[in-house]
């Protein structure tokens, strides 16, 4: 069997990218675009389940597109597109829906969770979210999908729906997509409030957004949780102290990091000084990225060019698959 090196991943257009997204997801995308045939898209159809207002929807799509481009996604190396520019996706979704069963969809944990938290908006789009996601993936006959643990069940369903279609119509059209990661240690980017992973769900003060201005970064970092300082020499840092070291490790020089680690070991660390240094190093690191995001966001002509190129490349791949699927089903044009 030849290696399937087609990659698909969808990016939800929700809010700003933060440092955790950058060090986790985005960096992997940058590496993958050099090694695989990658389709990365902004999942704007998926975001409709929560009924965004039209202005917000467009702005959010534009913002993530600008952010990914600024981080280094290269429209010449990968196929970067907006989901709603591909009519082939909803068409395949419709075809797959005919073999997706209410019972199995109701058992999906993300659906159960949403049904519980938003009981007033349990729409059919929410129920069939995994079908749409399956269509996203198998429309390009992808083999690899870089997603986090929380998406594994959806990926399993993409395999189920693809296999079911193959079996129904005695065709070998859809390969089985597998979760992909580069292995090795994942860089862990902690939040600022002393908890675990940097995450928007813990509030804006917990995250460092790529677009945060210097003053905002200083404020957020100075307010980061620390502790009352070590009392015994060479004691292990508390979680909040370790978090500050971890953040420092991502943006500061090894010398700077060692300086503060030694101060901790010698019980004379001053967290205020550490945070000041961390804030300045963070600003140094993020300023070029922020400026690039702003430039790209403002450049409508460039964004238009990128979206058009992506749509063209993606449509070609999608249409080839869909033609096979239509044929297998028995659609035959009279004209
Ligand atoms: N459901 C994914 C998420 O919430 C986004 C997504 C939509 C996706 N379609 C996809 C991811 C296809 C990978 C492949 O993050």
């Amino acid at each position: 069997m030849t290696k399937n090196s087609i990659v698909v991943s969808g990016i939800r257009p929700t809010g700003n990218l933060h440092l955790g997204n950058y060090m986790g997801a985005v960096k992997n995308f940058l590496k993958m675009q050099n090694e695989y045939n990658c389709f990365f898209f902004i999942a704007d159809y998926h975001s409709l389940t929560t009924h965004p207002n039209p202005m917000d929807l467009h702005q959010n799509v534009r913002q993530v597109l600008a952010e990914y481009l600024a981080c280094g996604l290269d429209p010449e190396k990968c196929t970067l597109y907006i989901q709603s520019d591909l009519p082939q996706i909803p068409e395949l979704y419709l075809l797959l829906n005919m073999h997706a069963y209410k019972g199995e969809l109701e058992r999906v944990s993300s659906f159960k969770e949403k049904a519980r938290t938003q009981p007033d908006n349990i729409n059919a789009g929410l129920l069939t979210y995994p079908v749409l996601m399956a269509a996203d993936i198998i429309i390009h006959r992808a083999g690899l999908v870089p997603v986090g643990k929380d998406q594994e069940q959806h990926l399993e369903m993409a395999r189920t729906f693809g296999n079911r279609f193959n079996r129904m119509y005695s065709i070998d059209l859809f390969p089985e997509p597998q979760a992909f990661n580069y292995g090795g240690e994942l860089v862990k980017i902690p939040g600022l409030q002393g908890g675990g992973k940097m995450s928007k769900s813990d509030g804006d003060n917990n995250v460092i957004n790529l677009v945060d201005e210097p003053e905002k970064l200083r404020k957020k970092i100075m307010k980061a949780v620390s502790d009352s300082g070590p009392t015994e020499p060479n004691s292990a840092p508390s979680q909040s102290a370790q978090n500050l070291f971890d953040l420092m490790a991502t943006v500061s020089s090894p010398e700077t990091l060692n300086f503060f680690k030694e101060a901790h070991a010698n019980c004379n660390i001053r967290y205020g000084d550490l945070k000041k240094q961390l804030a300045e190093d963070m600003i140094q690191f993020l300023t070029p990225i922020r400026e690039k995001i702003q430039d790209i966001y403002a450049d409508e002509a460039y964004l238009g060019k990128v979206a058009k190129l992506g749509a063209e490349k993606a449509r070609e791949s999608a249409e080839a698959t869909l033609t096979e699927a239509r044929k297998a089903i028995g659609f035959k044009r009279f004209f």
Side-chain angles (χ1 to χ4, degrees), residues 198-222:
M198 181 173 285
S199 160
K200 271 201 297 257
S201 51
D202 300 321
D204 191 59
N205 268 338
N206 193 44
V207 300
I208 292 173
N209 294 306
L210 301 185
V211 292
D212 282 346
E213 302 276 346
E215 256 330 287
K216 186 147 188 195
L217 288 172
R218 285 193 190 100
K219 265 205 196 112
K220 281 184 180 178
I221 292 174
M222 292 317 287

Side-chain angles (χ1 to χ4, degrees), residues 112-237:
K112 288 197 288 194
E113 166 81 14
K114 287 274 157 59
R116 201 166 48 74
T117 53
Q118 49 182 68
D120 297 331
N121 184 22
I122 311 178
N123 59 63
L126 203 57
L127 182 67
T128 56
Y129 186 106
V131 188
L132 182 56
M133 181 159 159
D136 292 331
I137 296 167
I138 69 180
I139 193 88
H140 300 301
R141 289 178 259 190
L144 304 172
V145 183
V147 282
K149 267 245 164 292
D150 64 323
Q151 296 297 314
E152 251 157 38
Q153 195 179 18
H154 291 156
L155 200 52
E156 176 70 42
M157 306 216 47
R159 288 191 285 272
T160 302
F161 296 139
N163 282 332
R164 201 173 281 166
F165 190 100
N166 288 345
R167 216 173 332 102
M168 274 313 286
Y169 301 109
S170 311
I171 188 178
D172 192 13
L173 183 56
F174 299 117
E176 285 195 347
Q178 306 296 338
F180 176 87
N181 58 60
Y182 274 110
E185 271 290 291
L186 278 185
V187 267
K188 182 194 142 223
I189 305 296
L192 293 170
Q193 299 297 313
K197 228 168 77 161
M198 181 173 285
S199 160
K200 271 201 297 257
S201 51
D202 300 321
D204 191 59
N205 268 338
N206 193 44
V207 300
I208 292 173
N209 294 306
L210 301 185
V211 292
D212 282 346
E213 302 276 346
E215 256 330 287
K216 186 147 188 195
L217 288 172
R218 285 193 190 100
K219 265 205 196 112
K220 281 184 180 178
I221 292 174
M222 292 317 287
K223 272 197 277 186
V225 174
S226 59
D227 57 33
S228 49
T231 46
E232 301 255 330
N234 300 315
S235 52

Side-chain angles (χ1 to χ4, degrees), residues 61 64-65 67 80 82 84 87 93 106 158 173 230 278-279 288 294 302:
V61 169
V64 278
L65 185 58
E67 290 189 331
L80 178 60
I82 297 163
S84 63
Y93 163 71
E106 280 171 343
L173 183 56
L278 176 60
Q294 289 163 341
Y302 175 66

Side-chain angles (χ1 to χ4, degrees), residues 16 25 37 47 50 62 109 114 136 155 183-184 251 269 299 308:
N16 295 318
N37 180 10
S47 68
T50 53
R62 183 167 172 165
S109 21
K114 287 274 157 59
D136 292 331
L155 200 52
V251 294
I269 187 160
D299 192 344
K308 182 157 179 272

